[in-house]
C-alpha cells in the first residue's frame, strides 16, 4: 500500500501542469468520497488560485458536518487515486 502512495506522489509530481480545460472538471458543489472510506462525502466549497503553485487549492466541507473541512490540491481530486466522485 505504501508503494502505491509513493507511485501516486511520483506521478503527481511529474505530471504536466493543468490546462484551463482540466480545471473545469472540478466545480463548486461537486461531491467526492475518499477511495478507501465511503462513510464521508466531501463537498467542494471553494477553489483558490495560489501564486506559489500551478495547482489551485480546493476547500472541502464534509456533508452533514460543515464544521469539518479539508484543503487539497485540485490535482488530488483530478487524479482519482485518493478521491472519487460521490454517487
Amino acid at each position: 500500500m505504501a508503494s502505491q502512495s509513493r507511485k501516486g506522489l511520483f506521478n503527481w509530481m511529474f505530471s504536466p501542469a493543468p490546462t484551463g480545460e482540466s480545471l473545469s472538471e472540478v466545480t463548486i458543489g461537486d461531491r467526492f468520497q475518499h477511495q478507501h472510506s465511503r462513510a464521508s462525502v466531501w463537498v467542494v466549497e471553494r477553489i483558490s488560485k495560489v501564486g506559489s503553485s500551478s495547482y489551485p487549492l480546493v476547500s472541502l466541507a464534509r456533508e452533514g458536518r460543515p464544521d469539518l473541512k479539508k484543503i487539497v490540491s485540485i490535482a488530488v481530486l483530478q487524479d482519482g487515486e485518493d478521491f472519487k466522485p460521490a454517487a
Side-chain angles (χ1 to χ4, degrees), residues 6-84:
R6 281 187 231 138
K7 182 179 177 186
L9 177 62
F10 181 80
N11 288 340
W12 175 79
M13 288 177 65
F14 294 101
S15 63
T19 64
E21 263 180 40
S22 65
L23 293 180
S24 66
E25 293 175 9
V26 176
T27 59
I28 293 172
D30 285 354
R31 301 166 70 238
F32 291 89
Q33 288 180 304
H34 198 273
Q35 283 284 43
H36 306 292
S37 171
R38 301 193 197 310
S40 303
V41 173
W42 297 89
V43 181
V44 175
E45 281 193 329
R46 182 175 52 241
I47 301 172
S48 305
K49 182 101 171 117
V50 180
S52 61
S53 174
S54 58
Y55 294 97
L57 296 178
V58 177
S59 299
L60 302 169
R62 186 170 167 182
E63 195 170 70
R65 289 287 311 268
D67 57 315
L68 298 178
K69 310 278 187 195
K70 286 187 181 199
I71 298 175
V72 299
S73 168
I74 201 165
V76 171
L77 298 177
Q78 290 173 332
D79 74 13
E81 277 193 45
D82 294 317
F83 288 89
K84 66 178 185 174

